[in-house]
Amino acid sequence: MSRALALELLRPWGIATELYGQGDEIRGARLGGELEIDTLHELLRAGHEGGLFRSAEVGRRGFLRSVTGATEWMPWRRNVVMAWGSLAEVRLEEGLRYLLE
């Protein structure tokens, strides 16, 4: 889809959006910020049912401090692959990533 359309469709999320693609053709997006779990479920369901999302990765990652004092991303502890019909089971737990397909 076009960059303008992608930004318009992702506007309801109200969080930072980073688009991926070449030129004006957008193939994916990364959204970052805090959402209530019910809002997350509602937005994911609407995006999937509306044809916006074929798949989605959802998770909460925390920060770690290295011995030098630099901030580093904490790696995912576990990945959970789920069908879209199991969306209600998605939680926001530190270090856990859900892959909705």
Side-chain angles (χ1 to χ4, degrees):
M1 72 180 55
S2 71
R3 178 173 297 281
L5 179 58
L7 289 171
E8 180 65 29
L9 292 171
L10 294 171
R11 186 182 324 240
W13 288 75
I15 54 179
T17 303
E18 186 176 347
L19 301 176
Y20 297 98
Q22 290 184 322
D24 196 43
E25 183 183 333
I26 302 304
R27 299 182 47 86
R30 179 181 179 154
L31 306 173
E34 293 292 322
L35 289 173
E36 295 294 325
I37 192 70
D38 293 335
T39 303
L40 174 67
H41 289 166
E42 180 182 319
L43 290 167
L44 283 170
R45 186 173 292 108
H48 177 65
E49 291 173 356
L52 179 60
F53 306 134
R54 286 181 286 170
S55 64
E57 295 181 14
V58 178
R60 171 178 278 162
R61 289 175 61 168
F63 291 100
L64 294 176
R65 291 269 178 210
S66 70
V67 293
T68 63
T71 302
E72 298 176 356
W73 281 107
M74 179 178 70
W76 297 113
R77 285 185 292 126
R78 189 168 61 115
N79 294 308
V80 180
V81 179
M82 302 179 84
W84 279 99
S86 302
L87 180 59
E89 297 174 33
V90 171
R91 300 285 172 243
L92 293 175
E93 299 175 35
E94 203 70 39
L96 185 62
R97 177 174 62 167
Y98 292 91
L99 297 115
L100 295 160
E101 300 179 337

